[in-house]
Amino acid sequence: MKRTFSNDEFDANGDGISTLNSQIPDIAKKSRSEPALPSRVVHVRNIEASDLEVVQLGLPFGRVTNFLNLRKKAQAFLEFDLTDSAKQMVDYFSSAPAMLNGRQIFAQFSNHGELRTDPTNRTNQQAHVALAQATDLYETAQKGGPNCVLRVSIMNMLYPVTIDVLYQIFGKFGTILKIITFTKNDKFQALIQTKDPNGAAQAKLQLHGQNIYNGCCTLQIEYSKLHSLTVKFNNDKSRDYTNPTLPAGEGHALQQQHDLDRMHSNPNLLSLQRSGSNEDYRYDYYGAAAGRGRPPSTPGTPSYDMQGGASHLMSPLQPPSNAYGSVPGVPPPPSPYGHPYGSAHHQISPMHGLPHGHASAASAHMHALHQQAQQQNPHMMSVQNGPVILVSNLNENMTTPESLFTLFGVYGDVHRVKILFNKKDSALIQFATPQQALVAHQNLDHINMFGKQIKVSFSKHQFVQMPKDGSSDMGLTKDFTNSPLHRFKKPGSKNYNNIHPPGNVLHLSNIPSETTEDEIRNIFSQYGTIKRFKFFEKDHKMALIEMDTIEETIAALINTHNYRLADSMHLRVSFSKSKL
């Protein structure tokens, strides 16, 4: 015989708890003297969750046909179509502690064989809407579909990027179902599964090439051929927003990374293609077309707010006062997870099922993580150094301000260079920003330049002083502030995407069509042995050249960048990660 239960009747029948202030040990104890027999209804206690989250608790175990969410009593009831499904849920929550929204939840069989709710009750009508919505999300997440999974690579990653940051950014274009982050070949990447292909397409269209933070953390987005993602843990590296019952997976980090690597190495994943020519460096200066702005929005599609045509994304967080290029709305560097400078021991409790309406809560959560991470490892947060670096152990017979400008300009816009008058094997180099100085330090410290291993350190000076009017320092100090050769002065420059340490291969561009391989070889052979050379098949204006040693590559770049090949065409040279 079916009964219609009110909230009070549920509590009076012994399925509830007497007070919301009970301690966890008391809550864990069953309120009845004898355990209830297995039934299709599961009673969940100590739960503070939305209707959607309540349903999501049960969906991994089977089909949920009805539910009640007693928020004032911190309880809920889930009815399955099969008793076996209810048994799996009770067994799961009995075998290991499960957390939701910071509370440990408990599950047991209910004394009631089924739930019979009043279909005319407004609360029950809303519950059925939530049930249909949650079921649809869960089934869609498991089934997936073509072009629903995006593969995202973070280029020029000066600041860490967390799952919560990715969720907020990509969630603007549709419902996010799952996110997996991993590091592959020293590159931070993420797989993001959306509810439908349209959301993925709009995210790819509007976010590809954009910076999360001003001048860094650039998004490179491609489709994955995977139709859906398999997430084992809800933690700082992976998240299934349709399944809050997944464990955090502490102690399984190595196994999780192995699984992610195996999935990422699946040949069904598309390789990241940056351009039609498959090369990695494109310059924006020398009269190039207008900077890449925000792609046009499709009517009716949510878009991510931009300020003043800037090429970095806006987020609900406020920047620290010393953040590079800080603009109102740009987030400070969040927690260090997935970043090479992050602490492997830094753990957080997962944020299960974060809905779009909880952006302010996410902001506060991330700000707390930012403060905690700064205390643990201050080197990974906002840059502490200034814009000036000190370079020592230079070859004073061969080094000039121009050569330092060209080499260090690969990693930032050099404004001033000063070779010290009384110590000519040392020089001060001033960059446009402290972040650029940091990138130069990371890539050029202890490299061999003109036969000597140079050392790069941070200077306490905030700027390089020019000689006083009327005085001369024999050309040892040069001001390059207005140089047309700056690679990064254009907001959102593509050059940010492909900053590489010195290697044996150089990328050449802006080559006149009439220039032959022999002509280029003659130019570069002055600076070392050429091992290989190759023009791009689809674009003769670009080529790769491999030198015998990195030191020769550095010398070649210094001497050939901006080399005049024709009346109006100057060679552009950069380091490449490609191999010939």
Side-chain angles (χ1 to χ4, degrees):
M1 176 178 177
K2 296 183 178 179
R3 291 183 54 192
T4 301
F5 297 106
S6 68
N7 294 357
D8 293 336
E9 285 177 312
F10 272 116
D11 194 43
N13 275 282
D15 283 312
I17 56 177
S18 59
T19 173
L20 295 181
N21 295 323
S22 300
Q23 299 299 317
I24 292 294
D26 296 328
I27 298 174
K29 297 177 182 177
K30 291 182 180 255
S31 58
R32 26 179 115 80
S33 57
E34 295 182 1
L37 296 175
S39 73
R40 293 189 293 112
V41 181
V42 175
H43 176 210
V44 183
R45 294 173 289 130
N46 194 40
I47 181 172
E48 185 176 332
S50 65
D51 289 350
L52 190 68
E53 290 172 322
V54 170
V55 180
Q56 287 177 337
L57 285 177
L59 288 175
F61 306 100
R63 182 169 176 266
V64 178
T65 57
N66 202 355
F67 81 101
L68 281 177
N69 187 13
L70 311 183
R71 298 187 183 184
K72 293 182 179 180
K73 300 179 181 296
Q75 304 173 53
F77 293 84
L78 286 162
E79 179 182 332
F80 292 90
D81 62 342
L82 299 174
T83 303
D84 285 345
S85 300
K87 186 176 184 304
Q88 289 180 27
M89 180 175 179
V90 172
D91 291 344
Y92 179 87
F93 283 96
S94 300
S95 61
M99 304 291 294
L100 180 63
N101 298 331
R103 303 179 66 159
Q104 182 177 344
I105 55 179
F106 303 90
Q108 63 192 52
F109 291 113
S110 170
N111 282 331
H112 308 294
E114 62 180 319
L115 303 178
R116 185 180 180 187
T117 55
D118 183 359
T120 63
N121 184 285
R122 171 182 266 182
T123 302
N124 292 335
Q125 290 175 346
Q126 294 173 346
H128 280 285
V129 171
L131 175 60
Q133 181 183 4
T135 302
D136 177 62
L137 284 178
Y138 185 80
E139 292 177 349
T140 301
Q142 305 310 307
K143 180 175 59 177
N147 294 336
C148 286
V149 179
L150 296 173
R151 176 182 169 191
V152 181
S153 297
I154 309 295
M155 315 301 294
N156 190 26
M157 188 169 168
L158 297 185
Y159 295 131
V161 176
T162 66
I163 279 183
D164 295 316
V165 168
L166 294 172
Y167 181 90
Q168 291 186 59
I169 292 173
F170 284 82
K172 293 288 183 178
F173 301 94
T175 303
I176 303 300
L177 303 180
K178 301 174 183 179
I179 300 178
I180 295 176
T181 64
F182 54 96
T183 301
K184 187 75 172 179
N185 297 327
D186 295 326
K187 183 189 298 181
F188 180 79
Q189 301 184 48
L191 295 170
I192 301 176
Q193 181 180 345
T194 62
K195 182 182 177 182
D196 55 69
N198 182 61
Q202 289 302 320
K204 181 177 182 295
L205 173 67
Q206 298 200 39
L207 296 179
H208 178 70
Q210 301 292 348
N211 297 324
I212 297 177
Y213 304 110
N214 192 11
C216 65
C217 297
T218 308
L219 296 167
Q220 294 285 334
I221 306 173
E222 293 293 332
Y223 285 117
S224 166
K225 286 187 177 179
L226 292 175
H227 286 192
S228 64
L229 302 177
T230 300
V231 177
K232 293 186 176 181
F233 307 116
N234 278 337
N235 54 28
D236 58 283
K237 296 185 182 297
S238 59
R239 199 76 55 84
D240 185 343
Y241 294 98
T242 68
N243 186 1
T245 61
L246 290 177
E250 284 84 1
H252 299 278
L254 292 178
Q255 178 62 36
Q256 182 180 17
Q257 185 63 47
H258 173 74
D259 292 340
L260 295 179
D261 288 342
R262 182 174 57 184
M263 180 180 67
H264 181 62
S265 63
N266 190 312
N268 289 331
L269 280 176
L270 282 174
S271 60
L272 182 62
Q273 297 177 350
R274 298 198 190 105
S275 68
S277 62
N278 293 326
E279 180 43 22
D280 54 8
Y281 218 125
R282 305 292 176 269
Y283 286 95
D284 287 339
Y285 50 86
Y286 288 116
R292 178 188 197 143
R294 175 184 175 187
S297 301
T298 301
T301 303
S303 59
Y304 211 87
D305 293 336
M306 311 287 282
Q307 282 196 353
S311 62
H312 55 275
L313 305 175
M314 303 294 110
S315 131
L317 300 185
Q318 293 299 318
S321 58
N322 60 343
Y324 162 49
S326 52
V327 201
V330 178
S335 62
Y337 309 117
H339 191 268
Y341 302 115
S343 169
H345 305 288
H346 187 66
Q347 301 291 337
I348 60 166
S349 57
M351 295 174 60
H352 299 306
L354 178 68
H356 293 290
H358 289 183
S360 59
S363 301
H365 177 76
M366 291 165 61
H367 181 69
L369 293 179
H370 169 64
Q371 298 296 328
Q372 185 178 3
Q374 273 189 316
Q375 296 173 3
Q376 292 196 7
N377 190 348
H379 300 290
M380 20 165 262
M381 287 292 103
S382 55
V383 176
Q384 302 298 319
N385 59 278
V388 180
I389 59 174
L390 172 67
V391 185
S392 57
N393 201 40
L394 293 166
N395 184 329
E396 56 186 273
N397 296 320
M398 299 182 66
T399 304
T400 64
E402 289 77 13
S403 65
L404 292 174
F405 167 78
T406 301
L407 176 59
F408 283 80
V410 172
Y411 303 102
D413 291 339
V414 174
H415 282 188
R416 290 179 179 178
V417 177
K418 184 182 188 71
I419 296 178
L420 303 186
F421 186 82
N422 295 322
K423 190 173 175 56
K424 293 184 175 60
D425 68 342
S426 300
L428 293 173
I429 301 177
Q430 178 185 334
F431 286 88
T433 70
Q435 277 73 17
Q436 293 177 358
L438 173 64
V439 174
H441 174 271
Q442 292 173 340
N443 286 279
L444 295 178
D445 187 25
H446 290 93
I447 60 101
N448 291 322
M449 175 183 174
F450 297 148
K452 301 190 72 174
Q453 187 180 78
I454 66 173
K455 297 179 182 178
V456 182
S457 59
F458 296 109
S459 170
K460 294 182 179 179
H461 296 285
Q462 294 301 307
F463 61 94
V464 171
Q465 189 171 2
M466 296 297 295
K468 296 180 180 179
D469 293 341
S471 63
S472 173
D473 67 348
M474 302 175 61
L476 297 178
T477 305
K478 292 291 182 69
D479 190 325
F480 299 98
T481 303
N482 298 317
S483 172
L485 300 181
H486 285 159
R487 303 177 189 245
F488 308 101
K489 63 182 179 180
K490 185 173 293 183
S493 168
K494 297 176 184 178
N495 299 329
Y496 278 116
N497 302 352
N498 299 287
I499 292 178
H500 306 298
N504 292 75
V505 180
L506 291 172
H507 174 260
L508 315 180
S509 61
N510 207 39
I511 303 172
S513 56
E514 64 272 14
T515 302
T516 65
E517 177 179 337
D518 288 340
E519 289 178 283
I520 296 179
R521 282 181 173 270
N522 289 335
I523 295 171
F524 280 83
S525 62
Q526 304 174 56
Y527 310 105
T529 303
I530 299 173
K531 296 181 66 175
R532 297 175 185 85
F533 177 88
K534 181 182 72 173
F535 277 115
F536 279 82
E537 294 180 2
K538 296 182 179 180
D539 192 349
H540 188 80
K541 293 182 179 180
M542 292 185 291
L544 295 175
I545 188 167
E546 181 181 354
M547 309 296 289
D548 189 44
T549 67
I550 295 178
E551 185 174 352
E552 292 176 354
T553 307
I554 291 172
L557 181 143
I558 290 174
N559 288 282
T560 62
H561 180 61
N562 201 37
Y563 188 95
R564 183 177 175 181
L565 293 175
D567 289 342
S568 59
M569 298 189 72
H570 294 72
L571 186 64
R572 306 169 190 171
V573 185
S574 64
F575 296 115
S576 173
K577 71 173 184 179
S578 300
K579 295 182 179 180
L580 291 175

